[in-house]
Amino acid sequence: MTIRILPAVGDPDAARTVSALLSQLPDAEPAPAVADSTALVDALAAAAQGAGAPSPAGPAAAVEALPEVVLVHERIGPTPALELIREVALRFPAVGVVLITADAGPALFSAAMDAGARGIVGLPLGYDELAARVQAAAQWSAGVRVHLGGNPDAAPGPSGTLVTVTGAKGGVGTTVTAVHLALAARAAGRSVALVDLDLQSGDVASYLDVQFRRSVVDLAGISDISVRVLQDAVHDHHTGLGLLLAPEEGERGEEVDDRAARQIIGALRSRYEVVLVDCGSQMQSANAAAVELADVALLVTTPDVVAVRAAKRQVRLWDRLQIRKAEETTTVVNRLTRNTEIQPPLVAKATGTQVARTHVPAAFKELQPCVDAGRMQDLDGRSTVKQALWALAGELGLVDAPAARQGRGSHRARPSLTGRRRKAIAAGAAPGSGTGPGPAPGSAAGSGSRFGARRGPAAAAGGPGPFDPAGPYEEG
C-alpha cells in the first residue's frame, strides 16, 4: 500500500529534514511540505473537493483523494498545533495526524491524543520512530476509510497472502516447492518474501546460492519491528525475492518462539503481497504459529507408504494441537509417476485433506544440475518440474493464468521423445508410422500424446486408462 504523506512544517530546516527522512520510507509518497496551518487545511480541502463526484460516489472519492498521514510540527502557525490537529481530525476523520514535538512527555501525549492525533514523534527526528508512527497512522487511516466507504477493497492491517509449505517428512521436496512458488509469484509481478522457518536445518540459502549474515533470529528479540530493522534482516535477492533466512547455527533457532514468529510474519505481510514460509518437516512453536496464521497451508508428500503415513501423522498433530483442521490443509503430491501405486485420491482419503489438482512429476535429472550448483532459479523453463510447480502457483492464486502457463508452449508443442518413442526412432521407424516398434496409428503415442501407449486391459479395449491424461509423466 502506498502511503501518501503531507507534512506541515513551518521551519525550513526542519522541513528539509522531514522531507529527507520521508523519502527513505518504503512505499511512501511524501508531498512537498506546507508552511502554515492555513495552507494545510486548504490543501486538504482542495484534495477532497477536487475528487468530488455525484452521490453516492462523491464521498468515497473524496475520502480516497486525501493523504493517509499528515505530519504537524509543534511550531506550525498561525493556529497552534493542538488546535490544528483537532480541526483536521473533525473535518477529515480519515486522515491520521502525527505530531512532531520536542516535548514527548505524558502530559503532551495525553493532550495530543485528546485532540485526535494518532501518534507523537520526538525531536530530533529518528528514522525508526518516524517510520513506525507513520505506518501505524496509515493502517489506522485505511481501517477508517473502509468504514467510511472509501476504497472498500482495502483492508486494514496486514494484507499480504501467507502461504506455508510443510513437509510430511524430510526429503520430500519442501524447499524446492517453496522456492519455485515464490519465484512464480515474483515473475507475476508481485512483491514476495520467502522465509525459512526450518530453523535447525533450513536450506533456502543453499538452493539460491546466498551468503548472508542476517537471519530470522535477529528479529526474535525485537518488540517493535520497524521498516529499517526489517530491511536490515531481509536479503534482497537478484531474482527480486526478499529472503529471511534460517540461522547458520541451528541451536539458535530456539530463540524464535511463537510470539516472535507472529510478529515477524505480521511485519512481512504489511510490506509484501505474498509471504512464502518454508516450515520444514519438524514442528516447533514458530512454524506451528505460521501454519495457524496461513491463508494457504500446503503439506508436501511423496506417493509412498512411509511419506503418506508421515503426512497423516502431521495432520493429526495439527488437529490435536488445534493448529489447523485437515479439511483446511492442501496436500501436494510430489514425484508422482504413471506407475505409482499410491495415487492422489488415495492420499486424500488417507490424510483427510484436500489434494491439489496439480501434481509434481518425478524428474530429479532435471533438478540435479541446479541443486548441485545451488541455483534453483536457473531451472530450465521446459522442465516438467518447474512447469508443474508454476501451475500449482496458478492453482493457489499466487499468479495469474498467463504467468502460470509461462514456458509451457514450446514444451507441449514438441513432445519429448521418451521411452518407446526414443527407441523407435533409434531403430529407424518414425513414431506413429505403424511399423517397427513404434505405436500404431490412432494409439495414444501415435496421436502425439506424450504419455506413450497405455497399459492394461482397459487401455487395450479403448476404455479409459488408469492414469489421468492431464497428469504427470516420467522421463524414460
Side-chain angles (χ1 to χ4, degrees):
M1 179 185 74
T2 300
I3 303 175
R4 293 166 296 177
I5 307 169
L6 177 59
V9 184
D11 182 64
D13 294 334
R16 284 191 293 269
T17 302
V18 171
S19 298
L21 287 174
L22 292 178
S23 64
Q24 301 177 30
L25 297 180
D27 303 325
E29 188 179 294
V34 295
D36 55 52
S37 59
T38 303
L40 172 62
V41 175
D42 291 345
L44 294 175
Q49 294 174 1
S55 182
V63 167
E64 280 307 299
L66 292 169
E68 283 78 16
V69 180
V70 167
L71 300 178
V72 176
H73 194 272
E74 62 178 353
R75 296 183 181 177
I76 196 71
T79 305
L82 292 180
E83 293 185 18
L84 177 61
I85 291 173
R86 184 175 290 105
E87 181 179 359
V88 171
L90 289 174
R91 293 185 57 182
F92 311 100
V95 176
V97 185
V98 177
L99 175 63
I100 302 175
T101 177
D103 178 20
L108 182 60
F109 181 85
S110 177
M113 295 301 105
D114 291 341
R118 301 309 308 169
I120 290 181
V121 179
L123 291 171
L125 289 175
Y127 176 89
D128 290 341
E129 184 182 11
L130 180 62
R133 298 297 173 266
V134 166
Q135 283 197 333
Q139 289 187 358
W140 174 86
S141 175
V144 171
R145 292 172 192 227
V146 170
H147 295 291
L148 291 180
N151 191 13
D153 296 330
S159 57
T161 301
L162 176 61
V163 180
T164 57
V165 185
T166 308
K169 57 185 288 294
V172 296
T174 307
T175 302
V176 172
T177 301
V179 168
H180 273 286
L181 290 178
L183 290 172
R186 183 69 191 102
R190 299 191 177 188
S191 58
V192 182
L194 177 57
V195 186
D196 196 346
L197 277 186
D198 188 0
L199 297 173
Q200 291 187 351
S201 55
D203 281 325
V204 168
S206 300
Y207 276 79
L208 292 174
D209 191 22
V210 172
Q211 293 182 353
F212 191 59
R213 62 187 181 89
R214 300 287 188 184
S215 72
V216 66
V217 174
D218 295 307
L219 298 177
I222 301 176
S223 58
D224 187 10
I225 301 176
S226 66
V227 177
R228 175 63 63 85
V229 171
L230 195 62
Q231 286 177 331
D232 289 341
V234 174
H235 173 70
D236 293 325
H237 196 252
H238 65 83
T239 58
L241 299 179
L243 304 180
L244 187 56
L245 304 173
E248 286 287 342
E249 305 83 7
E251 65 274 11
R252 294 197 63 195
E254 298 178 357
E255 301 176 27
V256 185
D257 56 11
D258 57 340
R259 182 201 60 80
R262 293 175 188 275
Q263 189 172 12
I264 292 168
I265 290 172
L268 290 170
R269 293 180 71 184
S270 66
R271 183 180 176 191
Y272 293 92
E273 295 176 83
V274 177
V275 179
L276 262 296
V277 181
D278 180 0
C279 293
S281 58
Q282 298 296 322
M283 277 292 101
Q284 300 169 339
S285 59
N287 47 24
V291 173
E292 183 180 2
L293 294 172
D295 299 304
V296 179
L298 299 181
L299 181 61
V300 182
T301 185
T302 49
D304 56 85
V305 173
V306 176
V308 173
R309 284 178 176 172
K312 186 175 181 179
R313 286 198 304 268
Q314 191 77 273
V315 171
R316 287 180 173 178
L317 173 65
W318 289 351
D319 186 62
R320 288 196 305 272
L321 299 179
Q322 298 183 350
I323 295 173
R324 200 169 195 88
K325 296 180 180 179
E327 56 269 22
E328 297 174 353
T329 303
T330 302
T331 300
V332 178
V333 181
N334 189 23
R335 301 175 195 156
L336 186 68
T337 70
R338 58 186 177 184
N339 298 321
T340 303
E341 293 185 9
I342 299 179
Q343 290 293 311
L346 182 57
V347 175
K349 183 178 180 180
T351 60
T353 63
Q354 305 176 37
V355 173
R357 296 189 304 273
T358 305
H359 315 307
V360 185
F364 183 71
K365 290 182 179 179
E366 301 174 359
L367 293 173
Q368 188 169 6
C370 296
V371 171
D372 292 342
R375 297 184 61 82
M376 190 56 61
Q377 68 272 18
D378 294 340
L379 186 61
D380 194 333
R382 294 173 294 180
S383 164
T384 56
V385 174
K386 180 174 181 178
Q387 291 176 5
L389 289 174
W390 286 42
L392 175 63
E395 180 182 338
L396 298 176
L398 301 181
V399 301
D400 298 328
R405 294 194 300 266
Q406 184 177 355
R408 285 186 166 198
S410 59
H411 184 73
R412 291 184 179 269
R414 300 190 302 273
S416 60
L417 302 179
T418 62
R420 297 181 180 181
R421 301 186 65 195
R422 193 174 290 162
K423 294 177 182 177
I425 291 177
S433 63
T435 64
S443 67
S447 62
S449 169
R450 65 183 187 280
F451 297 93
R454 297 185 183 270
R455 301 173 182 173
F467 306 105
D468 182 2
Y473 67 96
E474 183 182 23
E475 292 284 353

mmCIF file of all heavy atoms in Angstrom, residues 153-183:
data_model
loop_
_atom_site.group_PDB
_atom_site.id
_atom_site.type_symbol
_atom_site.label_atom_id
_atom_site.label_comp_id
_atom_site.label_asym_id
_atom_site.label_seq_id
_atom_site.Cartn_x
_atom_site.Cartn_y
_atom_site.Cartn_z
ATOM 1 N N ASP A 153 -12.253 -2.160 -0.963
ATOM 2 C CA ASP A 153 -11.443 -3.357 -1.171
ATOM 3 C C ASP A 153 -10.188 -3.356 -0.324
ATOM 4 O O ASP A 153 -9.498 -4.366 -0.223
ATOM 5 C CB ASP A 153 -11.046 -3.488 -2.651
ATOM 6 C CG ASP A 153 -12.260 -3.690 -3.533
ATOM 7 O OD1 ASP A 153 -13.234 -4.281 -3.037
ATOM 8 O OD2 ASP A 153 -12.230 -3.269 -4.692
ATOM 9 N N ALA A 154 -9.830 -2.207 0.255
ATOM 10 C CA ALA A 154 -8.615 -2.126 1.062
ATOM 11 C C ALA A 154 -8.940 -2.515 2.493
ATOM 12 O O ALA A 154 -9.834 -1.978 3.110
ATOM 13 C CB ALA A 154 -8.039 -0.717 1.014
ATOM 14 N N ALA A 155 -8.207 -3.450 3.011
ATOM 15 C CA ALA A 155 -8.428 -3.908 4.382
ATOM 16 C C ALA A 155 -7.328 -3.378 5.277
ATOM 17 O O ALA A 155 -6.184 -3.298 4.869
ATOM 18 C CB ALA A 155 -8.447 -5.426 4.431
ATOM 19 N N PRO A 156 -7.650 -2.996 6.500
ATOM 20 C CA PRO A 156 -6.615 -2.509 7.393
ATOM 21 C C PRO A 156 -5.711 -3.633 7.855
ATOM 22 O O PRO A 156 -6.080 -4.804 7.824
ATOM 23 C CB PRO A 156 -7.418 -1.934 8.566
ATOM 24 C CG PRO A 156 -8.688 -2.710 8.555
ATOM 25 C CD PRO A 156 -8.969 -3.025 7.116
ATOM 26 N N GLY A 157 -4.541 -3.242 8.348
ATOM 27 C CA GLY A 157 -3.628 -4.217 8.907
ATOM 28 C C GLY A 157 -2.937 -5.025 7.831
ATOM 29 O O GLY A 157 -2.924 -4.668 6.664
ATOM 30 N N PRO A 158 -2.320 -6.160 8.204
ATOM 31 C CA PRO A 158 -1.588 -6.978 7.259
ATOM 32 C C PRO A 158 -2.484 -7.449 6.124
ATOM 33 O O PRO A 158 -3.588 -7.923 6.341
ATOM 34 C CB PRO A 158 -1.114 -8.167 8.120
ATOM 35 C CG PRO A 158 -1.110 -7.647 9.519
ATOM 36 C CD PRO A 158 -2.238 -6.673 9.578
ATOM 37 N N SER A 159 -2.002 -7.318 4.894
ATOM 38 C CA SER A 159 -2.826 -7.668 3.747
ATOM 39 C C SER A 159 -2.160 -8.671 2.838
ATOM 40 O O SER A 159 -2.791 -9.161 1.908
ATOM 41 C CB SER A 159 -3.154 -6.398 2.937
ATOM 42 O OG SER A 159 -1.954 -5.749 2.525
ATOM 43 N N GLY A 160 -0.871 -8.999 3.048
ATOM 44 C CA GLY A 160 -0.194 -9.949 2.195
ATOM 45 C C GLY A 160 -0.719 -11.365 2.391
ATOM 46 O O GLY A 160 -1.142 -11.751 3.477
ATOM 47 N N THR A 161 -0.705 -12.158 1.319
ATOM 48 C CA THR A 161 -1.135 -13.548 1.378
ATOM 49 C C THR A 161 -0.031 -14.397 1.999
ATOM 50 O O THR A 161 1.118 -14.356 1.551
ATOM 51 C CB THR A 161 -1.463 -14.071 -0.026
ATOM 52 O OG1 THR A 161 -2.498 -13.258 -0.597
ATOM 53 C CG2 THR A 161 -1.928 -15.517 0.029
ATOM 54 N N LEU A 162 -0.371 -15.173 3.021
ATOM 55 C CA LEU A 162 0.601 -16.017 3.710
ATOM 56 C C LEU A 162 0.387 -17.475 3.293
ATOM 57 O O LEU A 162 -0.692 -18.025 3.462
ATOM 58 C CB LEU A 162 0.449 -15.877 5.227
ATOM 59 C CG LEU A 162 1.331 -16.783 6.088
ATOM 60 C CD1 LEU A 162 2.804 -16.507 5.837
ATOM 61 C CD2 LEU A 162 0.996 -16.608 7.570
ATOM 62 N N VAL A 163 1.440 -18.076 2.740
ATOM 63 C CA VAL A 163 1.410 -19.470 2.308
ATOM 64 C C VAL A 163 2.526 -20.212 3.025
ATOM 65 O O VAL A 163 3.687 -19.800 2.963
ATOM 66 C CB VAL A 163 1.590 -19.599 0.783
ATOM 67 C CG1 VAL A 163 1.548 -21.064 0.359
ATOM 68 C CG2 VAL A 163 0.528 -18.800 0.044
ATOM 69 N N THR A 164 2.187 -21.288 3.720
ATOM 70 C CA THR A 164 3.191 -22.114 4.384
ATOM 71 C C THR A 164 3.352 -23.416 3.617
ATOM 72 O O THR A 164 2.382 -23.968 3.092
ATOM 73 C CB THR A 164 2.809 -22.421 5.833
ATOM 74 O OG1 THR A 164 1.530 -23.072 5.870
ATOM 75 C CG2 THR A 164 2.740 -21.139 6.655
ATOM 76 N N VAL A 165 4.590 -23.905 3.550
ATOM 77 C CA VAL A 165 4.902 -25.166 2.876
ATOM 78 C C VAL A 165 5.592 -26.064 3.900
ATOM 79 O O VAL A 165 6.684 -25.753 4.371
ATOM 80 C CB VAL A 165 5.807 -24.951 1.658
ATOM 81 C CG1 VAL A 165 6.011 -26.266 0.908
ATOM 82 C CG2 VAL A 165 5.221 -23.900 0.726
ATOM 83 N N THR A 166 4.943 -27.165 4.252
ATOM 84 C CA THR A 166 5.443 -28.084 5.267
ATOM 85 C C THR A 166 5.642 -29.453 4.642
ATOM 86 O O THR A 166 4.827 -29.890 3.826
ATOM 87 C CB THR A 166 4.459 -28.192 6.443
ATOM 88 O OG1 THR A 166 4.145 -26.891 6.925
ATOM 89 C CG2 THR A 166 5.038 -29.016 7.578
ATOM 90 N N GLY A 167 6.708 -30.139 5.033
ATOM 91 C CA GLY A 167 6.974 -31.477 4.525
ATOM 92 C C GLY A 167 6.416 -32.542 5.437
ATOM 93 O O GLY A 167 6.487 -32.434 6.667
ATOM 94 N N ALA A 168 5.850 -33.595 4.856
ATOM 95 C CA ALA A 168 5.382 -34.723 5.659
ATOM 96 C C ALA A 168 6.554 -35.363 6.399
ATOM 97 O O ALA A 168 6.419 -35.809 7.535
ATOM 98 C CB ALA A 168 4.688 -35.747 4.774
ATOM 99 N N LYS A 169 7.709 -35.395 5.756
ATOM 100 C CA LYS A 169 8.947 -35.885 6.343
ATOM 101 C C LYS A 169 10.091 -35.215 5.594
ATOM 102 O O LYS A 169 9.868 -34.487 4.625
ATOM 103 C CB LYS A 169 9.037 -37.421 6.237
ATOM 104 C CG LYS A 169 8.932 -37.938 4.812
ATOM 105 C CD LYS A 169 8.896 -39.449 4.760
ATOM 106 C CE LYS A 169 10.252 -40.057 5.080
ATOM 107 N NZ LYS A 169 11.264 -39.744 4.045
ATOM 108 N N GLY A 170 11.299 -35.440 6.042
ATOM 109 C CA GLY A 170 12.432 -34.851 5.364
ATOM 110 C C GLY A 170 12.652 -35.449 3.988
ATOM 111 O O GLY A 170 12.406 -36.640 3.767
ATOM 112 N N GLY A 171 13.087 -34.623 3.045
ATOM 113 C CA GLY A 171 13.441 -35.112 1.724
ATOM 114 C C GLY A 171 12.310 -35.281 0.744
ATOM 115 O O GLY A 171 12.486 -35.911 -0.306
ATOM 116 N N VAL A 172 11.140 -34.717 1.017
ATOM 117 C CA VAL A 172 10.008 -34.869 0.088
ATOM 118 C C VAL A 172 9.907 -33.706 -0.898
ATOM 119 O O VAL A 172 9.021 -33.694 -1.741
ATOM 120 C CB VAL A 172 8.675 -35.005 0.858
ATOM 121 C CG1 VAL A 172 8.665 -36.265 1.687
ATOM 122 C CG2 VAL A 172 8.403 -33.781 1.718
ATOM 123 N N GLY A 173 10.805 -32.722 -0.814
ATOM 124 C CA GLY A 173 10.793 -31.617 -1.771
ATOM 125 C C GLY A 173 10.151 -30.354 -1.254
ATOM 126 O O GLY A 173 9.673 -29.536 -2.037
ATOM 127 N N THR A 174 10.162 -30.140 0.047
ATOM 128 C CA THR A 174 9.504 -28.970 0.631
ATOM 129 C C THR A 174 10.162 -27.671 0.174
ATOM 130 O O THR A 174 9.474 -26.732 -0.260
ATOM 131 C CB THR A 174 9.557 -29.059 2.167
ATOM 132 O OG1 THR A 174 9.046 -30.312 2.587
ATOM 133 C CG2 THR A 174 8.747 -27.946 2.793
ATOM 134 N N THR A 175 11.479 -27.588 0.259
ATOM 135 C CA THR A 175 12.168 -26.341 -0.067
ATOM 136 C C THR A 175 12.089 -26.031 -1.558
ATOM 137 O O THR A 175 11.899 -24.878 -1.949
ATOM 138 C CB THR A 175 13.630 -26.414 0.393
ATOM 139 O OG1 THR A 175 13.668 -26.667 1.800
ATOM 140 C CG2 THR A 175 14.353 -25.112 0.114
ATOM 141 N N VAL A 176 12.227 -27.051 -2.403
ATOM 142 C CA VAL A 176 12.101 -26.829 -3.847
ATOM 143 C C VAL A 176 10.714 -26.275 -4.173
ATOM 144 O O VAL A 176 10.563 -25.348 -4.970
ATOM 145 C CB VAL A 176 12.356 -28.138 -4.619
ATOM 146 C CG1 VAL A 176 12.024 -27.967 -6.097
ATOM 147 C CG2 VAL A 176 13.805 -28.571 -4.459
ATOM 148 N N THR A 177 9.692 -26.831 -3.538
ATOM 149 C CA THR A 177 8.328 -26.343 -3.761
ATOM 150 C C THR A 177 8.186 -24.892 -3.316
ATOM 151 O O THR A 177 7.642 -24.062 -4.053
ATOM 152 C CB THR A 177 7.327 -27.229 -2.990
ATOM 153 O OG1 THR A 177 7.444 -28.575 -3.429
ATOM 154 C CG2 THR A 177 5.903 -26.748 -3.201
ATOM 155 N N ALA A 178 8.680 -24.566 -2.125
ATOM 156 C CA ALA A 178 8.561 -23.195 -1.620
ATOM 157 C C ALA A 178 9.313 -22.209 -2.499
ATOM 158 O O ALA A 178 8.815 -21.120 -2.810
ATOM 159 C CB ALA A 178 9.084 -23.130 -0.180
ATOM 160 N N VAL A 179 10.515 -22.582 -2.932
ATOM 161 C CA VAL A 179 11.325 -21.675 -3.759
ATOM 162 C C VAL A 179 10.634 -21.377 -5.076
ATOM 163 O O VAL A 179 10.540 -20.216 -5.508
ATOM 164 C CB VAL A 179 12.725 -22.267 -3.987
ATOM 165 C CG1 VAL A 179 13.467 -21.503 -5.071
ATOM 166 C CG2 VAL A 179 13.532 -22.240 -2.696
ATOM 167 N N HIS A 180 10.110 -22.398 -5.728
ATOM 168 C CA HIS A 180 9.516 -22.162 -7.048
ATOM 169 C C HIS A 180 8.145 -21.495 -6.961
ATOM 170 O O HIS A 180 7.765 -20.745 -7.872
ATOM 171 C CB HIS A 180 9.450 -23.463 -7.838
ATOM 172 C CG HIS A 180 10.711 -23.728 -8.602
ATOM 173 N ND1 HIS A 180 11.045 -23.044 -9.742
ATOM 174 C CD2 HIS A 180 11.748 -24.553 -8.345
ATOM 175 C CE1 HIS A 180 12.216 -23.460 -10.180
ATOM 176 N NE2 HIS A 180 12.670 -24.363 -9.343
ATOM 177 N N LEU A 181 7.406 -21.727 -5.907
ATOM 178 C CA LEU A 181 6.170 -20.956 -5.729
ATOM 179 C C LEU A 181 6.498 -19.481 -5.552
ATOM 180 O O LEU A 181 5.812 -18.606 -6.104
ATOM 181 C CB LEU A 181 5.392 -21.479 -4.519
ATOM 182 C CG LEU A 181 4.751 -22.861 -4.641
ATOM 183 C CD1 LEU A 181 4.058 -23.238 -3.338
ATOM 184 C CD2 LEU A 181 3.761 -22.897 -5.801
ATOM 185 N N ALA A 182 7.561 -19.187 -4.806
ATOM 186 C CA ALA A 182 7.971 -17.792 -4.622
ATOM 187 C C ALA A 182 8.446 -17.183 -5.925
ATOM 188 O O ALA A 182 8.105 -16.043 -6.263
ATOM 189 C CB ALA A 182 9.066 -17.717 -3.555
ATOM 190 N N LEU A 183 9.242 -17.929 -6.704
ATOM 191 C CA LEU A 183 9.728 -17.413 -7.986
ATOM 192 C C LEU A 183 8.569 -17.178 -8.962
ATOM 193 O O LEU A 183 8.571 -16.201 -9.715
ATOM 194 C CB LEU A 183 10.729 -18.394 -8.588
ATOM 195 C CG LEU A 183 12.083 -18.504 -7.875
ATOM 196 C CD1 LEU A 183 12.894 -19.652 -8.455
ATOM 197 C CD2 LEU A 183 12.863 -17.198 -7.987
#
